[in-house]
Every structure is written in C-alpha cells, then in structure tokens.
C-alpha cells in the first residue's frame, strides 16, 4: 500500500482539544487502502505510537527562524527536522493541514516529488493556494465556495466533511440523562463569532429551571456571577465529550462556522441542538434535526432555548423525533465513511 503522511504544524496530535487534531487522527486510524503516518509538532523531536498510529514529532529551528525570518525577513523554511522525516519515510502523498504558505517552500527542499494535498479547515480572509498542490481539500462546500470566490483558483478542489471523533464513537448513546433540571452546554470559547455574548445575554433574560456549562479557550479569564452558569474553561476533547454526554442541550449560536463538529457530535449523542443555520452548519442541520435560531439575535436565542428546554422536560414525541432525526444525519459522518471518501480523493490523483 502507498504511504500517506498527515502533517500538522499547529500542535501535537495528542492535543485533542481542537477539531483538526481529531480529524487527522481519524483519517490515519480509519483509512484502509493507504498506510498512514503522522508528523506533528512536539516539544521534543521524537518517534512514538499513539493508539497504534506511528507519530513523528518535529520542532522548528528556533534560531534559524528568528534570524533569517524574523530579523532578515527571508521567508525560508525552518522545519529541517520535518524534511529529514519526509525523506526518510518517503511517503507517496503529503496531506498538509493549514499553513498553506509553507507548502511550496517545503516541497522545494525535498529530493523527490510526492503528491500534495492541502487541507483548509477554516475560512481565510486571503486564502493561499500553493503552486505545488495537486488537490485542495476543504472542510465544507461553504469553505470551498469561499476559496474559489476569493482566489479564482483552477486547481482541483474537493469538499470533505469532518468525521465524528474516535472518542465520541466509544461513548454509549442515550436518549436522555435524568438531570433534575435540563443541563445546557456551550463549547465555543470566547470567540465573538461563536455567539458567546448573545448566549450570556439570553441567559439573563430567562428564568430558572436550567443550568449552563461554558467551555472553551479563554473562557477561564471571564468572571461569571450568574449561579445558573458554571465556567469550565478550556477542556480536552475527552473532557468536553464527557460533559456533553451528561448534558441535555448543546448550544451553538455561531455567527459563522466553517463546519461545526461540535454540532455533529451533539446530534450523534441524541442531544437537543440549538444552533444557527449558517455556512458549514447549513449543510447538515435543519429544523427537522435541530432548534434553529437567528445569528446575532438574542430574542431568537431565548425563544430557541425555551423551546429546547420544554422538549427535554416533556420528553415527548417532539423530543424523540428531533433527536432521532439528528442521529440519522450524524451516522453519515462515521469515521469509516469519511475515510473511504478521502481515499477516493487520493485515488483520483494517483
């Protein structure tokens, strides 16, 4: 079998708080027709196995970057250890996640020419299209359309949705936790585009009869005085999934989303999802499987939250219909299904 190297410049693959790490690991774990290894940032340059997947850690050349790039602004490639890993392993395919500006520089340093797949996990104000890329992959049709509109690229570009995570699949699904009062959870962090301001305003307009968990980056710096709200701060993916499993309602009042993996996870766990229907989210959520609210609209969010709380409290036909529909949608994003779609893309350029 041909070898694929998944390359991640942002973090260790064990840093599973972010969706990118979960997606990369899922690709490597579930592809059947191609052998996968992962190269990612590690504090120490090391080689190890993570859940049976070979991991090659690399670091940046600190002084080379500081002197040549930061001081002289030469824009040289400063990951020489990654180059050695690639030339030793000789993968036929390099699947590179974000950091598109590094792709052409990386390829120019190699002593052979692998196939290059460049993955875009979010919206970019000014997307970079590497000249050496054989195929571009986007996390949704919405991101694909955005890249085409902004760059007018003629390179092949494929939309490939994120798979459900390995940790999520291990959880037992259950229709409803026996909480005394409905428990809500939000996992978007402090980013304004995630709708955190509207959510906090909506909670102030609502009475008692529910609790809310907040999770995500930078939330640990926010002082919350409302007794209905518990601020968990930044969690690992496993910790967040545990709290979501114990909750009844998942809230996602985003202004925009490239995809929205948390929404899909909520649907798989048969939670009531309260979310906006925008961008990537609109490609798999609708009124049949979620409570849809308007973005940037506190009153709409209040109404949506109350509707979801009523569904949970009644535990009736509406609750089971919407969570059942949601689960049927989420099943289409199982890891083995998305991995097979990825391998079809590889084979198209083989």
């Amino acid at each position: 079998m041909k070898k694929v190297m998944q390359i991640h410049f942002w973090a260790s693959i064990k840093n599973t708080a972010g969706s990118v790490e979960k997606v990369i690991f899922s690709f490597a774990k579930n592809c059947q027709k191609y052998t996968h290894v992962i190269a990612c940032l590690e504090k120490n340059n090391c080689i190890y196995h993570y859940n049976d997947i070979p991991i090659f850690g690399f670091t940046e050349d600190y002084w080379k970057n500081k002197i040549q790039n930061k001081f002289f602004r030469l824009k040289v490639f400063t990951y020489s250890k990654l180059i050695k890993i690639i030339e030793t392993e000789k993968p036929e395919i390099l699947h590179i996640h974000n950091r598109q500006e590094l792709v052409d520089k990386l390829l120019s340093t190699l002593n052979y020419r692998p196939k290059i797949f460049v993955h875009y996990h979010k919206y970019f104000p000014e997307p970079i299209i590497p000249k050496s890329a054989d195929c571009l992959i986007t996390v949704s049709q919405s991101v694909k359309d955005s890249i085409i509109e902004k760059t007018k690229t003629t390179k092949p570009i494929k939309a490939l949705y994120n798979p459900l995570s390995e940790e999520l699949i291990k959880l037992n699904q259950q229709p409803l936790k026996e909480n005394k009062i409905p428990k809500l959870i939000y996992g978007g962090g402090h980013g304004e585009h995630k709708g955190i301001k509207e959510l906090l305003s909506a909670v102030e307009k609502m009475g008692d009869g529910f609790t809310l968990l907040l999770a995500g980056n930078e939330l640990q710096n926010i002082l919350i005085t409302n007794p209905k709200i518990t601020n968990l701060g930044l969690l690992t993916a496993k910790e967040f999934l545990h709290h979501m499993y114990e909750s009844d309602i998942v809230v996602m009042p985003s202004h925009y989303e490239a995809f929205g993996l948390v929404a899909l996870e909520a649907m798989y766990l048969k939670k009531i999802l309260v979310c906006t229907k925008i961008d990537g989210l609109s490609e798999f959520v609708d009124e049949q499987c979620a409570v849809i609210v308007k973005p940037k609209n506190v009153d709409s969010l209040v109404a949506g939250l109350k509707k979801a709380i009523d569904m949970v409290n009644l535990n009736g036909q509406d609750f089971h219909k919407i969570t059942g529909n949601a689960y049927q949608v989420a099943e289409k994003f199982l890891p083995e299904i998305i991995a097979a779609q990825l391998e079809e893309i590889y084979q198209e350029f083989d």
Side-chain angles (χ1 to χ4, degrees):
M1 291 193 294
K2 290 187 176 180
K3 183 187 294 183
V4 178
M5 180 175 287
Q6 303 278 343
I7 300 178
H8 186 30
F9 286 98
W10 282 358
S12 168
I13 197 65
K14 293 182 291 186
N15 177 33
T16 56
S19 63
V20 178
E21 290 82 18
K22 290 189 285 187
V23 167
I24 292 171
F25 177 73
S26 183
F27 288 164
K29 187 74 173 177
N30 291 283
C31 284
Q32 301 295 318
K33 299 177 182 178
Y34 292 80
T35 300
H36 280 251
V37 298
I38 297 174
C40 61
L41 279 183
E42 294 281 3
K43 291 182 179 179
N44 300 312
N45 302 301
C46 53
I47 303 174
Y48 63 96
H49 280 73
Y50 179 63
N51 290 348
D52 299 327
I53 302 299
I55 310 295
F56 297 85
F58 63 88
T59 54
E60 188 170 15
D61 305 318
Y62 176 80
W63 287 109
K64 185 177 181 180
N65 180 54
K66 190 176 183 67
I67 294 171
Q68 295 187 312
N69 288 342
K70 300 293 178 63
F71 186 76
F72 288 107
R73 302 183 183 280
L74 297 177
K75 298 182 179 181
V76 299
F77 189 78
T78 54
Y79 295 88
S80 60
K81 297 177 181 64
L82 175 59
I83 297 170
K84 292 179 181 178
I85 292 170
I86 295 172
E87 292 184 340
T88 299
E89 290 296 306
K90 284 287 193 298
E92 286 85 359
I93 293 174
L94 296 182
H95 189 147
I96 302 171
H97 299 265
N98 295 323
R99 294 305 303 269
Q100 295 84 11
E101 74 279 6
L102 297 179
V103 175
D104 288 334
K105 297 174 188 177
L106 169 61
L107 187 64
S108 69
T109 66
L110 299 180
N111 58 19
Y112 78 110
R113 177 56 163 97
K115 293 287 185 180
I116 304 292
F117 293 78
V118 182
H119 208 124
Y120 297 77
H121 289 269
K122 65 177 187 176
Y123 293 106
F124 291 89
E126 297 179 3
I128 295 172
I129 309 297
K131 294 179 180 179
S132 58
D134 295 292
C135 178
L136 312 179
I137 299 176
T138 64
V139 72
S140 64
Q141 183 66 41
S142 179
V143 174
K144 175 181 175 179
D145 292 342
S146 174
I147 289 175
I148 292 174
E149 179 183 357
K150 291 178 179 178
T151 68
K152 311 301 180 187
T153 182
T154 58
K155 283 188 175 292
I157 181 167
K158 305 287 185 177
L160 180 73
Y161 294 129
N162 284 345
L164 294 165
S165 68
E166 295 295 316
E167 291 293 340
L168 181 79
I169 303 303
K170 295 176 184 177
L171 292 176
N172 293 322
Q173 304 118 41
Q174 38 74 57
L176 183 66
K177 282 291 178 183
E178 295 181 357
N179 295 320
K180 292 183 180 179
I181 60 174
K183 182 186 291 186
L184 287 63
I185 188 168
Y186 160 88
H190 192 236
E192 185 174 343
H193 72 283
K194 294 291 186 177
I196 181 64
K197 290 183 178 179
E198 290 87 353
L199 177 57
L200 294 178
S201 297
V203 170
E204 294 301 324
K205 287 189 170 189
M206 298 171 65
D208 296 326
F210 69 94
T211 61
L212 171 64
L213 300 177
L214 301 178
N217 192 32
E218 296 185 6
L219 283 178
Q220 60 269 24
N221 301 322
I222 298 179
L223 178 62
I224 301 293
T225 58
N226 191 319
K228 292 180 290 189
I229 302 175
T230 300
N231 188 354
L232 301 173
L234 183 62
L235 303 174
T236 65
K238 188 172 183 179
E239 290 169 338
F240 179 74
L241 287 176
H242 170 76
H243 284 289
M244 183 159 58
Y245 176 80
E246 295 292 335
S247 299
D248 306 296
I249 299 167
V250 177
V251 190
M252 202 168 181
S254 305
H255 301 178
Y256 62 87
E257 284 286 347
F259 178 67
L261 185 57
V262 169
L264 198 63
E265 291 172 337
M267 294 163 67
Y268 186 78
L269 290 178
K270 295 186 177 178
K271 307 301 176 181
I272 296 290
L273 173 64
V274 179
C275 70
T276 52
K277 186 182 176 183
I278 37 81
D279 304 325
L281 280 174
S282 69
E283 296 175 34
F284 63 92
V285 300
D286 59 24
E287 291 77 3
Q288 302 302 312
C289 61
V291 176
I292 304 299
V293 298
K294 298 177 182 178
K296 305 181 185 181
N297 189 311
V298 174
D299 291 338
S300 177
L301 183 55
V302 169
L305 292 175
K306 288 182 177 179
K307 180 178 180 180
I309 290 170
D310 287 343
M311 284 186 185
V312 171
N313 284 333
L314 293 173
N315 190 20
Q317 183 177 354
D318 289 345
F319 172 85
H320 293 286
K321 182 178 179 181
I322 199 169
T323 55
N325 290 340
Y327 181 73
Q328 288 182 351
V329 172
E331 279 191 306
K332 299 175 184 178
F333 297 82
L334 289 170
E336 58 270 24
I337 294 175
I338 303 301
Q341 293 172 359
L342 173 61
E343 291 188 316
E344 288 179 4
I345 295 174
Y346 289 159
Q347 289 177 317
E348 187 174 335
F349 295 88
D350 204 340

